[in-house]
Amino acid sequence: MRFVDEFRDAEKARVLSARIAALCEPGRHYKFMEVCGGHTHTIYKHGLEDYLPETVSLVHGPGCPVCVIPMGRLDDAIAIAEQPDVIMTTFGDMMRVPGGRGSFYDANAAGADIRMVYSPLDSLKIARANPDKRVVFMAIGFETTAPSTAMTVLRAAAEKLDNFSIFCNHVTIIPAIKAILDSPDLRLDGFIGPGHVSTVIGCRPYEFIAREHGKPLVCAGFEPLDILQSVFMLMTQLAQRRCEVENQYARVVPWHGNPKALRVIGQTMALRPYFEWRGLGFIAQSALQVRDEYAAHDAERIFSVPGVRVADPKACQCGEVLKGVLKPWECKVFGTACTPETPIGTCMVSSEGACAAYYNFGRFTRDRVKEATRS
Amino acid sequence: MCLGIPGEIVEIMADREDFAMVSVAGVKRAVNIGLLTEDEIQLKAGDWILIHVGFALSRIDEAEAAHSIKMLEGMGQAYTDELIALAQSDLASDR
Amino acid sequence: MSTSDLGMPRQATWAEEAVREAEAESPHTRAEGLLAGSSIGREHKTREQQVLERIDRARARKPRVKEPRITLAHGAGGKATHNLIDAIFLEAFRNPELERMSDAAALTVGDTRLAFTTDSYVVSPLFFPGGDIGELAVNGTVNDLAVSGARPLVISAGFILEEGFPTDDLRRIVASMASAAAAAGVRIVTGDTKVVQRGKGDGCYINTAGIGVRERPVELDAANARPGDAILVSGPIGDHGITVMLARGELDIAADIVSDTAPLHEISAALLDAVPDTRLLRDATRGGVATILNEVAVVSRAAVVLDEAAVPVRPEVQGACELLGIDPLYVACEGRFVAVVPARDAEAALTALHRHPLGEGAAVVGRVVEDPPGLVLLKTTFGGTRIVDMLVGDPLPRIC
């Protein structure tokens, strides 16, 4: 596949790996956070850490939209789905995520009609085909996904599809990064920036990270070479005592983002005063809700939403894992009470959560894996 | 966080506003290109875009992609040269 | 908007319970956690290793079905399915034949060595590129017998039809069953028909059972795999699963892929002729190649190392998988098997497979090694390594 295969080349990876090793200052440990769950997935899926020296570690950040949805919002969604004549639609990723009273799968087993869609537009199709039903799209995601939801709402409004609404759970990335930066127990040397969010917001919103917090950020693509090259660029900045926002993913990310995408978000959605993030608690101005003008398509106004709050289980240390303070396996319940089949914490839920990625792909000491795979 | 896959525009669909038929390794789907309609250059068949949940989020800049690859290749060449130089200097010091 | 979110939060009772249970089951967890920081009492064990051992213990626990209701995940062929089978069916029916959990039960009646199997088909849509539910129902049962080293003899056909189902569709399905049976050299010798009310079925479900005779002296068993063995697949993987997923139409994705449904009795016989020491054959249906290899690793107490670059996947299947965010290793095939053979026979096995039209795309994809027991490891195309676990849940499209 073009623009994919050439960025999975093992030969180039070996060169980058040697380059990164050459940049390591003796005795120094480097810690970079990849903000985005997609990066976490890439890192584990391709076994990228095999190319990094032991003194360079990657910390997995909070950028997995499925992981950060609090259990209460999921219970609210199920409460909507359980109302008469409702078809709820959602991305496949959400189906297994457990709320306080079970997952969408469980809700379906108990009689709800929750369907998986590939695109929010597919929900419109379902709404057109079922005029006597109320179709609610469970909207999740960062700025990458919000424009698609916004376009869908605009389309529904234009078509006067009154039986279509969204349950808006869109979140924004910058407040989450700020929460990480403000965490006192964190020591990071730089950030691998979320490439696909940046296609929408561009690279400028990250400038404060370099300017005010003194941490370099490289906006990175999603193939393994992209991430490796981003680590190299971060190491180069550190070696040259620079601290900037750089764009490794220029083939996809324009420095100024996608103005039309930003405009449609602004047209249909407004910032919420605060929103609860699983594992991170309430963060001010970190999520989006449907604007008054589109109230007819806002599930929170159409349905009585219980507004459930469910406490993160006490033993769960997701907050620390999300902030990079703990490694996944350092959590008390990792792999025993909390596994991908029965996830308790946010990070074990989606295949992009740090714990799930580690459990599924990396659950073994590197030495033994290397030994076993030596040909 | 957000799965985005490169795809090639096969045709701009005349019968559906803001849609293009896109191919990912021969797998085809109609993708909404409404988020790219304000770009200076009009999208056309043969262009590559990044697809996310059925929408084109961004046009792929082929020159930038080629530049990235070239840089990585250059790095490899420079590295090989260094290795050769290193090997030669090792040989030199052994003597 | 509700303001109750400022009130006292609820507890996720199930989660708190799961934590309590896990602690009760492995009471050392806490002490370990305390000791782990220092190295007191532990010789040369890093904390990470201890945690990994703790996970091993948790994984070795007796499976249980905690869900109060059956969900679709219980039918997806991954961990939930295994738990259901182990905890509910095996527990109630336990006997030596069933305990082997193979594709077909190995029975001996007098001097005759038989293989007996059953399978139900609920595929939607009923007709898809490259086949239909009828062909699938015959081939599936033929294949379960074939990969057990048996020559398929006779099969049964049970139909559950929905009120209102078009008779012409039934005729089409039955005709393709008849021709599939003829192609596989089996006769459909008994059957059953039930009709359920409209809305209570997807038009047509089929159950088939089959009997085959094990004429060869081979014992195919996952437990036979041992370090050094080579692992082969008989052709490109994932065609069937992706074809059906796309044929449902919900994803609006089109591709020139057809199901790989095919009878494997000839090609498996060809392999067993060429390599009588074949350790095991398994058809890679639900859960895909990854699930089978996990079973091999667990049962044989060895590790499986796969080479991603060697795994044959058609570009369209790869493209659809990338687009949907799923891994072809977990996608079902209906006409492909996984074979484990002694290393010295790998070439002979490959040659035998390549000679058969269904095996043109066969490849050696990995090998069995000693350590770490019970795990499947993947050498990625990128040159890294990772674990390939049992499928959890359904292979659902992923946006993120």
Side-chain angles (χ1 to χ4, degrees):
Chain A
M1 282 171 67
R2 201 162 162 219
F3 301 114
V4 172
D5 295 336
E6 58 264 49
F7 294 94
R8 291 182 185 176
D9 182 74
E11 190 47 49
K12 292 190 184 71
R14 275 190 282 276
V15 172
L16 267 173
S17 170
R19 288 278 159 165
I20 289 168
L23 283 171
C24 287
E25 288 169 26
R28 179 167 178 187
H29 281 260
Y30 299 84
K31 239 176 164 183
F32 302 114
M33 174 179 279
E34 85 274 4
V35 177
C36 174
H39 283 149
T40 310
H41 190 81
T42 299
I43 289 163
Y44 281 105
K45 186 173 172 223
H46 296 277
L48 184 134
E49 284 179 318
D50 289 356
Y51 284 108
L52 293 179
E54 274 179 20
T55 50
V56 176
S57 51
L58 299 178
V59 179
H60 317 310
C64 160
V66 173
C67 305
V68 299
I69 298 286
M71 286 198 203
R73 289 295 283 186
L74 206 81
D75 288 2
D76 282 349
I78 291 174
I80 295 174
E82 281 169 345
Q83 294 183 38
D85 299 323
V86 169
I87 300 174
M88 179 159 275
T89 59
T90 181
F91 295 131
D93 314 49
M94 283 305 297
M95 291 302 290
R96 290 182 45 251
V97 181
R101 299 186 299 129
S103 66
F104 282 170
Y105 258 143
D106 297 320
N108 266 350
D113 186 355
I114 305 177
R115 304 182 190 178
M116 200 188 70
V117 288
Y118 166 74
S119 166
L121 287 174
D122 299 343
S123 321
L124 288 188
K125 222 184 295 170
I126 295 174
R128 283 184 213 114
N130 296 277
D132 51 340
K133 298 273 188 183
R134 301 183 286 176
V135 176
V136 184
F137 173 62
M138 170 86 183
I140 60 154
F142 283 88
E143 285 93 332
T144 322
T145 320
S148 307
T149 304
M151 293 286 276
T152 306
V153 168
L154 289 173
R155 183 94 229 172
E159 283 184 36
K160 299 207 167 42
L161 260 182
D162 292 336
N163 66 332
F164 173 81
S165 62
I166 66 165
F167 183 47
C168 190
N169 291 284
H170 283 296
V171 284
T172 56
I173 196 74
I174 297 294
I177 297 180
K178 277 194 178 135
I180 301 288
L181 284 165
D182 292 341
S183 159
D185 19 44
L186 181 67
R187 276 224 5 87
L188 281 181
D189 295 283
F191 287 92
I192 296 170
H196 289 158
V197 162
S198 312
T199 58
V200 175
I201 67 173
C203 297
R204 288 176 59 199
Y206 308 119
E207 280 170 352
F208 78 97
I209 300 170
R211 205 175 47 234
E212 289 162 32
H213 296 269
K215 312 276 184 209
L217 180 144
V218 174
C219 182
F222 286 79
E223 295 307 325
L225 268 188
D226 289 324
I227 297 177
L228 216 49
Q229 188 181 17
S230 301
V231 171
F232 171 75
M233 288 166 75
L234 284 167
M235 299 282 292
T236 307
Q237 284 202 36
L238 292 176
Q240 298 173 347
R241 307 282 183 269
R242 282 189 294 125
C243 180
E244 295 161 18
V245 174
E246 290 180 312
N247 185 9
Q248 179 276 334
Y249 200 28
R251 67 179 184 277
V252 166
V253 172
W255 190 261
H256 292 280
N258 183 331
K260 166 109 189 249
L262 288 170
R263 208 181 61 233
V264 293
I265 298 177
Q267 198 178 337
T268 54
M269 300 176 209
L271 276 177
R272 290 175 195 267
Y274 56 85
F275 193 72
E276 188 185 2
W277 291 54
R278 231 179 130 170
L280 295 178
F282 284 93
I283 304 180
Q285 306 206 308
S286 63
L288 300 166
Q289 62 192 351
V290 178
R291 271 192 194 282
D292 294 345
E293 295 90 311
Y294 297 91
H297 302 289
D298 183 5
E300 281 175 80
R301 300 186 222 213
I302 298 170
F303 298 91
S304 83
V305 179
V308 179
R309 262 191 74 204
V310 179
D312 285 334
K314 281 192 285 291
C316 170
Q317 295 180 293
C318 280
E320 281 88 343
V321 173
L322 279 177
K323 284 184 256 175
V325 179
L326 284 188
K327 287 217 172 272
W329 50 266
E330 288 174 320
C331 168
K332 285 193 292 247
V333 290
F334 178 82
T336 53
C338 185
T339 63
E341 304 109 274
T342 52
I344 286 179
T346 123
C347 310
M348 192 61 99
V349 175
S350 143
S351 63
E352 299 199 349
C355 294
Y358 183 84
Y359 189 98
N360 288 331
F361 295 151
R363 194 185 61 237
F364 241 85
T365 41
R366 297 243 68 95
D367 303 345
R368 275 173 93 184
V369 171
K370 272 188 190 155
E371 181 58 40
T373 50
R374 187 171 297 152
S375 36
Chain B
M1 157 175 53
C2 316
L3 192 68
I5 300 297
E8 184 181 9
I9 295 185
V10 181
E11 61 160 320
I12 306 291
M13 297 171 79
D15 53 337
R16 283 178 78 182
E17 192 195 339
D18 282 353
F19 275 87
M21 188 53 77
V22 176
S23 163
V24 176
V27 176
K28 295 199 183 82
R29 193 185 201 275
V31 167
N32 186 302
I33 50 170
L35 292 169
L36 302 180
T37 46
E38 287 172 15
D39 285 13
E40 284 157 33
I41 314 155
Q42 281 265 301
L43 282 175
K44 58 181 186 318
D47 284 349
W48 285 74
I49 53 171
L50 185 87
I51 312 161
H52 172 67
V53 301
F55 284 82
L57 267 194
S58 159
R59 172 205 299 268
I60 296 179
D61 187 329
E62 302 197 21
E64 282 288 357
H67 176 74
S68 283
I69 289 294
K70 225 171 148 188
M71 211 165 92
L72 290 171
E73 274 165 0
M75 220 179 242
Q77 191 50 51
Y79 186 64
T80 317
D81 293 347
E82 269 170 50
L83 280 186
I84 293 166
L86 188 72
Q88 281 166 349
S89 72
D90 274 358
L91 287 177
S93 61
D94 278 351
R95 272 185 204 144
Chain C
M1 261 188 70
S2 165
T3 50
S4 68
D5 50 5
L6 293 173
M8 275 295 286
R10 272 194 215 157
Q11 298 280 321
T13 349
W14 65 269
E16 303 291 351
E17 256 165 38
V19 174
R20 270 198 301 278
E21 270 172 29
E23 274 178 9
E25 276 171 20
S26 48
H28 302 300
T29 312
R30 226 159 241 286
E32 246 172 38
L34 290 174
L35 278 177
S38 61
S39 55
I40 313 165
R42 303 266 162 185
E43 58 288 18
H44 313 300
K45 261 186 200 169
T46 65
R47 184 164 170 204
E48 187 175 9
Q49 268 173 315
Q50 291 173 39
V51 175
L52 294 168
E53 282 167 18
R54 190 173 89 197
I55 295 174
D56 272 349
R57 283 201 299 275
R59 282 167 75 91
R61 276 203 306 257
K62 221 171 143 186
R64 270 181 317 171
V65 175
K66 288 186 188 159
E67 301 82 358
R69 291 171 197 274
I70 297 299
T71 71
L72 289 174
H74 289 119
K79 265 187 193 160
T81 308
H82 276 79
N83 280 354
L84 188 75
I85 294 173
D86 278 0
I88 294 189
F89 299 130
L90 188 58
E91 201 54 37
F93 302 150
R94 192 173 296 281
N95 60 59
E97 287 83 7
L98 185 61
E99 267 180 330
R100 290 184 53 212
M101 303 282 270
S102 44
D103 288 317
L107 306 169
T108 306
V109 179
D111 290 336
T112 314
R113 287 159 26 99
L114 295 177
F116 177 46
T117 188
T118 185
D119 218 329
S120 300
Y121 299 83
V122 296
V123 66
S124 165
L126 299 172
F127 303 92
F128 46 82
D132 60 44
I133 188 170
E135 190 180 348
L136 208 59
V138 172
N139 288 344
T141 288
V142 164
N143 292 349
D144 280 343
L145 295 170
V147 297
S148 307
R151 181 167 59 87
L153 290 178
V154 289
I155 63 175
S156 68
F159 295 87
I160 296 169
L161 305 172
E162 186 186 354
E163 179 187 18
F165 185 61
T167 318
D168 277 348
D169 283 359
L170 184 62
R171 284 204 185 92
R172 260 177 86 189
I173 289 168
V174 170
S176 71
M177 287 179 83
S179 66
V186 294
R187 288 175 301 140
I188 300 173
V189 292
T190 183
D192 177 51
T193 313
K194 296 283 185 298
V195 178
V196 296
Q197 282 171 342
R198 188 186 291 275
K200 300 276 167 72
D202 271 333
C204 173
Y205 299 143
I206 303 177
N207 172 275
T208 51
I211 295 175
V213 55
R214 295 181 293 136
E215 293 157 333
R216 301 161 192 280
V218 295
E219 286 297 337
L220 301 173
D221 192 327
N224 295 342
R226 58 200 55 146
D229 287 355
I231 296 163
L232 296 89
V233 296
S234 65
I237 63 168
D239 295 7
H240 176 76
I242 294 295
T243 303
V244 169
M245 206 182 276
L246 302 192
R248 282 186 194 145
E250 289 153 10
L251 299 166
D252 247 339
I253 296 171
D256 279 338
I257 331 172
V258 297
S259 166
D260 48 35
T261 179
L264 296 171
H265 63 297
E266 278 178 5
I267 187 172
S268 55
L271 175 62
L272 293 175
D273 283 342
V275 183
D277 285 343
T278 297
R279 314 280 198 209
L280 86 140
L281 298 176
R282 293 292 301 273
D283 60 340
T285 54
R286 272 180 325 178
V289 170
T291 303
I292 285 175
L293 293 178
N294 266 282
E295 286 167 15
V296 171
V298 169
V299 174
S300 65
R301 310 256 347 119
V304 165
V305 177
L306 268 184
D307 181 359
E308 188 175 40
V311 178
V313 184
R314 289 186 205 283
E316 294 87 355
V317 172
Q318 188 68 49
C321 283
E322 292 282 345
L323 199 60
L324 299 172
I326 53 186
D327 187 337
L329 286 172
Y330 295 101
V331 179
C333 317
E334 287 292 342
R336 305 278 178 239
F337 60 67
V338 173
V340 180
V341 301
R344 59 169 189 279
D345 294 329
E347 269 312 309
L350 200 57
T351 313
L353 293 177
H354 283 163
R355 267 196 207 128
H356 194 276
L358 286 175
E360 275 168 8
V364 176
V365 295
R367 65 207 151 87
V368 181
V369 299
E370 211 159 311
D371 185 77
L375 279 191
V376 180
L377 304 172
L378 180 75
K379 269 179 84 163
T380 67
T381 312
F382 183 61
T385 48
R386 69 161 157 102
I387 285 174
V388 177
D389 211 343
M390 205 89 131
L391 174 68
V392 172
D394 236 332
L396 296 175
R398 178 176 77 93
I399 56 144
C400 33

